[in-house]
Amino acid sequence: MFATAIHDGHALRPEVADAMRLPDGERLREEDPFTGQAIAGVPGRVVVHRSRFEVDLNRAADQAVYRVPEQCWGLHLWDAPPDEAFVQHSLRLHHAFYRTLATVFDDLVRHHGRFVVFDVHSYNHRRDGPTAAATPAEDAPEVNIGTWSMPRGRWAGLLDPLMDTMRAVDFNGRHADVRENIAFQGRGELARFVHARYPETGCAIALEFKKTFMDEWTGVPDPAELAGMRRLVDAAAAHAREWLAHA
């Protein structure tokens, strides 16, 4: 059992920070702050502290450095387009990250036969402004499970009860709205990498938490909601470990 929070980070190397024209607050809005806290109870985990605006580890290498606004929500990032040397420097982290993941996951397969990884992200639901109406609930579950690249039939015995487990958790006096492939489909590079490299032995589950655990416009977190998010992940991780031990 493993978990990642690869968009948690806000840090930039100095060269990138100097070239970045996007204000910190706007950059933070498209990052996934506090997702590292959600996976703190999973013993095997990776929390990335570098911003996705330096290199996006959930995109393929040829798209991992945003060059034009169309790649990043129409945002204008750079005073001047990044040159190839700048891009290649940023991509070093991408290459190193996936080499490291391959080593870790190869070891998990060697010792345990198979593994499950939660790829934890978050998403905005008040894009029209802090006082504007939120995205309708029918289009924005509190937890969106993305399974696009997953061989769904192979892992259904894990996934369907896992979602039921998450729905049953006391989430601050309510039960979380957990649905599959509604706001996102889990098309990111991490899940694709796992299912391509480990088609029989690795299951990557993309978890997208709606940003009800924070104010997406100010960046201020809600501690009670963060604790509830961690309880959901802890319960799902316990279910996955039990399933791996007995399936």
Side-chain angles (χ1 to χ4, degrees), residues 75-153:
L75 299 172
H76 293 270
L77 302 187
W78 314 111
D79 289 319
D83 62 27
E84 194 58 30
F86 182 100
V87 170
Q88 290 304 316
H89 191 167
S90 294
L91 286 176
R92 292 176 195 171
L93 179 60
H94 193 282
H95 300 323
F97 176 76
Y98 280 99
R99 284 196 305 269
T100 301
L101 273 195
T103 299
V104 171
F105 293 160
D106 288 353
D107 198 51
L108 288 175
V109 172
R110 186 161 49 250
H111 286 92
H112 302 287
R114 55 189 169 178
F115 67 93
V116 173
V117 56
F118 292 163
D119 177 29
V120 178
H121 299 269
S122 63
Y123 73 97
N124 295 323
H125 64 117
R126 293 186 175 277
R127 284 200 170 273
D128 293 334
T131 61
T135 303
E138 59 265 28
D139 300 323
E142 287 176 289
V143 186
N144 185 97
I145 305 291
T147 60
W148 180 81
S149 66
M150 181 192 298
R152 183 67 168 75

